[in-house]
């Protein structure tokens, strides 16, 4: 930010997307809050009186001196940019110098402000041209309090054209929530008619904010990843490739949470939520086949990138932007999501002592009840397993027992898991099929009869070699590799003929080929399945979106067994 507020030169004004900035109570809130953020505030109090059409935003930012206060509501007056060149390196949320002026035009505007390092503040009232009409000294803390009252009081038609006060309040709430996601370190207090309406506590990232906004979601249902990536080279700006950009992603784990609508697939760029349909699509795609049908992920992406990559002047409210090198960013986002979805020892909660889990299992072993098949495992294969799982990036997941011929009980240094064998295997096979969909010739053709035209077409689409074999009979000469040698090959092929795309066929094939629940497994078999499963791209859910494993982390177990209790005390001694 350069020194003091100045009026922008005409040639800069002409380059800025013009438009009505203030069109609702929510817009007033957005503009005032963004000014507070630009002023470096860490605490923001928003008060709304919707019936009075009044908004007040108080912050503990840097404040303004009297000279700046007097100029603040002039048209195109800003302290944030000055020259045309500045437009390509915008780092502040505001830059047009229009908001306060517009507010003075359509409402009554009053600002109190005290600049950091000075002893007193000032209160200034403005007329509809943005000129100060009343100035007086004010005792106040460092920061700024802006009050906008009687919005559109002189414009009854515009008021009538606006949604009901209830709807406007909802818009105010969602405006604030959107901003909190991008600025998680701020303490927020929001009041309605002088009473506390809601508050948001600060956090390190949006991972701490989202659970305060979506009540059903807990902090542990989400995972966050911050990546630094190079900024792609860009024609005219030249040397930008050395600059680093930051990708911050908060993802709802698909086995923990999802939404009925794509309302939480959101993108922010440099501190502001934007519509970025292409990136939103990338996020939904990257989560495909990890969620139940017609369900959408919780996914919040914040790109902090060199300002020259973004052109904000697509829309007056800055809600839509042009992003340079779009496909590069799409690739980065895709790989960030893949990284979060993989199982990774670093993602698991703190370890305490794996010996405790050992002990716990010993207890359950002697008590019986579980189908423990430890005796089957030879020492040799146990050693092998240790070698296999000590690869970096893998969790040391050790198969210990099979429960009800359905779940694999596995131990790792930070806890234990129950893995459902059928869907874990289904996930493994599905990804193998996606990577390598292979049709093999059948030794004996499968004969199908009474096929409908749609079924025949579907088989041809999937690359199946089907030809007439007589009256209402067809011969199928090839099949997906996994199905070819199965006894139920014919049923499987019929299932595939019933519709869906290749992906659907792959899901169906994986599901049919995966080991059934109820099948006894040896320890080495279980271990092989665990090893294969934990390196899949989406180990958390099966392709239909069902969760694959239940984790019992040591920290949760310690809490459950009240291991922190001081024995003497809890016995009332
Ligand atoms: P812009 O934000 O585009 O610069 P505004 O009309 O919103 O334009 O604000 C004009 C100027 O007033 C800002 O550039 C800034 O210098 C000053 N200002 C506005 N609000 C605050 C605030 N809360 N704290 C400190 N300065 C502020
Ligand atoms: Mg502004």
């Amino acid at each position: 930010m350069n020194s003091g507020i100045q009026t922008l030169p005409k040639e800069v004004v002409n380059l800025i997307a013009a438009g009505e900035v203030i069109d609702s109570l929510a817009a007033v809130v957005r503009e005032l809050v963004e000014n507070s953020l630009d002023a470096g505030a860490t605490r923001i109090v928003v008060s709304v009186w919707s019936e009075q059409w009044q908004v007040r935003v108080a912050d503990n930012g840097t404040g303004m001196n009297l000279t700046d206060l007097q100029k603040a509501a002039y048209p195109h007056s800003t302290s944030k940019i000055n020259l045309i060149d500045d437009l390509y390196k915008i780092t502040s949320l505001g830059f047009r110098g229009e908001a306060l002026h517009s507010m003075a035009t359509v409402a009554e505007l009053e600002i109190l402000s005290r600049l950091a390092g000075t002893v007193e503040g000032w209160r200034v009232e403005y007329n509809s041209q943005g000129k100060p009409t009343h100035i007086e000294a004010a005792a106040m803390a460092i920061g700024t309090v802006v009050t906008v009252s009687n919005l559109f009081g002189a414009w009854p038609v515009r008021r009538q054209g606006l949604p009901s006060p209830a709807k406007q309040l909802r818009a105010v709430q969602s405006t604030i929530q959107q901003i909190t996601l991008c600025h998680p370190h701020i303490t927020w207090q929001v009041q309605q008619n002088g009473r506390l309406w809601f508050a948001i506590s600060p956090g390190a990232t949006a991972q701490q904010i989202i659970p305060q906004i979506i009540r059903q979601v807990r902090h542990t249902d989400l995972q966050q990843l911050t990546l630094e990536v190079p900024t792609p080279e860009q024609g005219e700006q030249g040397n930008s490739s050395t600059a680093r950009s930051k990708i911050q992603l908060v993802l709802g784990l698909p086995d923990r949470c999802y939404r009925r609508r794509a309302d939480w697939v959101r993108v922010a760029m440099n501190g502001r939520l934007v519509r970025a349909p292409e990136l939103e699509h990338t996020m939904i795609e990257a989560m495909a086949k990890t969620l139940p049908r017609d369900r959408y992920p919780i996914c919040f992406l914040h790109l902090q990138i060199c300002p020259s990559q973004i052109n904000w002047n697509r829309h007056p409210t800055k809600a839509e932007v042009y992003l340079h090198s779009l496909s590069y960013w799409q690739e980065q986002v895709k790989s960030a999501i893949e990284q979060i979805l993989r199982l990774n020892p670093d993602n698991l909660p703190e370890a305490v002592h794996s010996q405790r889990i050992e002990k716990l299992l010993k207890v359950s072993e002697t008590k019986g009840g579980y189908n423990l098949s430890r005796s089957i495992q030879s020492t040799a294969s146990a050693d092998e397993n240790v070698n296999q799982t000590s690869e970096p990036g893998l969790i040391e997941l050790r198969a210990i027992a099979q429960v009800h011929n359905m779940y694999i009980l596995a131990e790792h240094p930070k806890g234990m898991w129950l893995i459902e064998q059928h869907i874990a295997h289904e996930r493994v096979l599905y990804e193998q099929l996606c990577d390598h969909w292979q049709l093999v010739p059948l030794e004996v053709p499968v004969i199908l009869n009474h096929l409908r035209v749609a079924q025949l077409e579907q088989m041809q689409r999937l690359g199946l070699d089907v030809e007439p074999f007589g009256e209402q009979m067809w011969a199928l000469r090839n099949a997906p590799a996994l199905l070819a040698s199965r006894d139920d090959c014919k049923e499987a092929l019929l299932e595939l003929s019933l519709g869906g795309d290749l992906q659907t066929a792959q899901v169906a094939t994986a599901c049919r080929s995966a080991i059934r629940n109820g099948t006894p497994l040896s320890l080495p078999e279980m271990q092989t399945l665990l090893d294969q499963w934990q390196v899949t791209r989406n180990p958390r859910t099966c392709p239909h979106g069902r969760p694959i494993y239940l984790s019992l982390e040591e920290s949760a177990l310690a809490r459950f067994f009240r291991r922190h209790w001081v024995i003497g005390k809890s016995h009332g001694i």
Side-chain angles (χ1 to χ4, degrees):
M1 203 180 288
N2 55 40
S3 60
I5 297 181
Q6 296 178 31
T7 306
L8 287 174
K10 250 215 162 57
E11 64 271 23
V12 180
V13 172
N14 291 341
L15 281 179
I16 293 174
E20 280 294 331
V21 221
I22 302 303
D23 58 3
S24 60
L25 281 175
V28 172
V29 169
R30 181 191 66 229
E31 293 295 331
L32 294 183
V33 162
E34 290 194 343
N35 281 346
S36 299
L37 292 166
D38 279 343
T42 56
R43 213 188 133 72
I44 299 177
V45 182
V46 181
S47 313
V48 187
W49 295 265
S50 58
E51 301 291 336
Q52 285 87 339
W53 296 84
Q54 180 170 321
V55 171
R56 173 176 296 151
V57 173
D59 68 56
N60 65 349
T62 52
M64 282 174 271
N65 63 19
L66 183 56
T67 322
D68 279 352
L69 260 178
Q70 286 174 285
K71 290 192 268 179
Y74 283 174
H76 304 295
S77 292
T78 179
S79 57
K80 297 165 193 173
I81 64 166
N82 204 345
L83 306 167
I84 291 185
D85 251 9
D86 296 340
L87 276 178
Y88 303 102
K89 37 190 182 204
I90 290 164
T91 51
S92 54
L93 295 167
F95 58 85
R96 295 181 181 137
E98 268 194 304
L100 290 180
H101 177 70
S102 308
M103 287 180 223
T105 319
V106 294
E108 288 153 29
L109 175 68
E110 176 206 270
I111 308 180
L112 281 100
S113 197
R114 178 177 152 201
L115 183 69
T118 62
V119 291
E120 67 181 340
W122 296 93
R123 188 176 82 83
V124 179
E125 286 172 18
Y126 303 82
N127 68 11
S128 59
Q129 277 91 52
K131 296 212 175 86
T133 53
H134 180 88
I135 301 175
E136 65 180 10
M140 63 180 294
I142 285 164
T144 304
V145 183
V146 183
T147 309
V148 172
S149 325
N150 198 20
L151 178 67
F152 301 134
W155 315 63
V157 181
R158 286 190 71 172
R159 267 196 190 175
Q160 279 162 17
L162 285 175
S164 65
K167 273 215 177 111
Q168 290 222 51
L169 282 172
R170 236 173 291 141
V172 166
Q173 183 176 30
S174 88
T175 299
I176 296 173
Q177 289 175 342
Q178 291 177 8
I179 297 174
T180 63
L181 288 171
C182 308
H183 303 274
H185 58 285
I186 308 281
T187 304
W188 300 86
Q189 220 184 42
V190 185
Q191 303 182 339
Q192 201 188 124
N193 299 324
R195 292 224 195 98
L196 181 67
W197 177 14
F198 62 94
I200 292 183
S201 319
T205 69
Q207 187 180 5
Q208 285 86 38
I209 306 300
I210 292 173
Q212 299 184 60
I213 301 178
I214 321 179
R215 291 289 164 203
Q216 313 90 298
V217 172
R218 283 178 310 172
H219 166 251
T220 46
D221 297 338
L222 306 166
Q223 199 137 319
Q224 87 98 32
L225 179 72
T226 305
L227 288 178
E228 271 210 19
V229 298
T231 307
E233 195 98 32
Q234 203 202 311
E236 317 103 64
Q237 260 72 37
N239 58 357
S240 55
S241 61
T242 45
R244 308 288 291 172
S245 298
K246 213 158 86 173
I247 292 182
Q248 243 179 358
L249 191 71
V250 179
L251 191 69
L253 297 172
D255 51 342
R256 308 274 180 97
C257 55
Y258 44 75
R259 307 283 293 172
R260 284 171 182 276
R261 292 182 297 132
D263 56 348
W264 269 91
V265 178
R266 298 186 179 185
V267 179
M269 288 182 203
N270 291 0
R272 177 183 280 116
L273 218 74
V274 292
R275 282 303 321 273
E278 302 89 354
L279 285 174
E280 289 163 20
H281 183 73
T282 303
M283 301 197 282
I284 292 175
E285 275 289 288
M287 297 292 286
K289 297 295 165 205
T290 69
L291 294 172
R293 200 190 319 172
D294 299 330
R295 293 295 179 270
Y296 297 88
I298 293 175
C299 192
F300 173 66
L301 168 72
H302 194 172
L303 289 180
Q304 275 149 306
I305 60 187
C306 176
S308 65
Q309 297 279 316
I310 307 173
N311 183 350
W312 290 104
N313 288 306
R314 185 173 179 173
H315 199 264
T317 65
K318 305 165 190 156
E320 275 174 52
V321 296
Y322 296 108
L323 185 62
H324 304 290
S325 319
L326 179 65
S327 55
Y328 170 81
W329 296 111
Q330 286 178 308
E331 274 312 305
Q332 297 295 333
V333 168
K334 211 172 122 203
S335 85
I337 291 181
E338 281 173 9
Q339 219 170 307
I340 291 191
L341 288 177
R342 278 169 200 262
L343 291 177
N344 181 335
D346 304 335
N347 291 344
L348 301 174
E350 283 285 283
V352 191
H353 280 300
S354 63
Q355 285 167 341
R356 285 188 179 158
I357 300 284
E358 281 272 336
K359 257 188 229 154
L360 212 82
L361 288 172
K362 290 251 168 61
V363 173
S364 49
E365 210 171 355
T366 47
K367 290 251 173 76
Y370 292 117
N371 175 10
L372 287 165
S373 39
R374 273 198 160 163
S375 52
I376 307 171
Q377 193 182 25
S378 71
T379 10
S381 66
D383 287 348
E384 244 168 58
N385 289 334
V386 170
N387 290 339
Q388 265 176 359
T389 51
S390 56
E391 261 176 58
L394 285 186
I395 299 165
E396 291 172 43
L397 206 54
R398 198 157 64 91
I400 288 194
Q402 191 186 27
V403 183
H404 296 322
N405 290 338
M406 195 178 335
Y407 306 106
I408 300 171
L409 177 64
E411 174 198 39
H412 67 88
K414 298 175 186 178
M416 62 179 166
W417 291 356
L418 281 180
I419 297 115
E420 208 209 88
Q421 63 191 39
H422 169 69
I423 51 177
H425 195 209
E426 187 180 330
R427 169 51 74 188
V428 170
L429 293 179
Y430 171 67
E431 292 196 5
Q432 284 175 0
L433 287 173
C434 289
D435 295 341
H436 195 63
W437 176 249
Q438 197 194 0
L439 296 172
V440 295
L442 290 169
E443 272 172 31
V444 185
V446 169
I447 307 299
L448 300 172
N449 27 30
H450 299 294
L451 291 177
R452 282 176 283 115
V453 178
Q455 283 178 293
L456 281 168
E457 283 171 357
Q458 169 67 5
M459 289 182 156
Q460 275 154 2
R461 255 197 306 275
L462 294 175
L464 295 173
D465 180 5
V466 55
E467 53 186 50
F469 194 67
E471 187 69 10
Q472 285 295 319
M473 291 214 286
W474 286 268
L476 247 145
R477 301 191 186 279
N478 64 355
L482 275 180
L483 300 178
S485 54
R486 289 185 66 93
D487 293 343
D488 60 357
C489 183
K490 184 171 172 174
E491 289 76 16
L493 291 168
L494 269 176
E495 183 184 21
L496 295 191
S497 75
L498 291 174
D501 55 6
L502 177 61
Q503 220 175 29
T504 315
Q506 288 164 339
V507 173
T509 305
C511 184
R512 188 177 278 273
S513 320
I515 43 161
R516 305 269 129 209
N517 285 332
T519 313
L521 294 178
S522 69
L523 270 180
E525 282 172 325
M526 287 189 265
Q527 189 62 50
T528 307
L529 175 54
L530 290 186
D531 294 344
Q532 290 179 349
W533 162 70
Q534 78 153 306
V535 297
T536 55
R537 290 186 287 274
N538 295 305
R540 295 177 179 279
T541 51
C542 78
H544 305 100
R546 286 167 54 205
I548 294 179
Y549 73 105
L550 172 72
S551 70
L552 288 166
E553 306 306 338
E554 169 56 24
S555 47
L557 291 172
R559 219 176 311 129
F560 177 79
F561 289 109
R562 315 260 200 282
R563 212 167 283 133
H564 56 279
W565 277 12
V566 179
I567 294 299
K569 264 195 189 161
S570 44
H571 286 257
I573 302 167

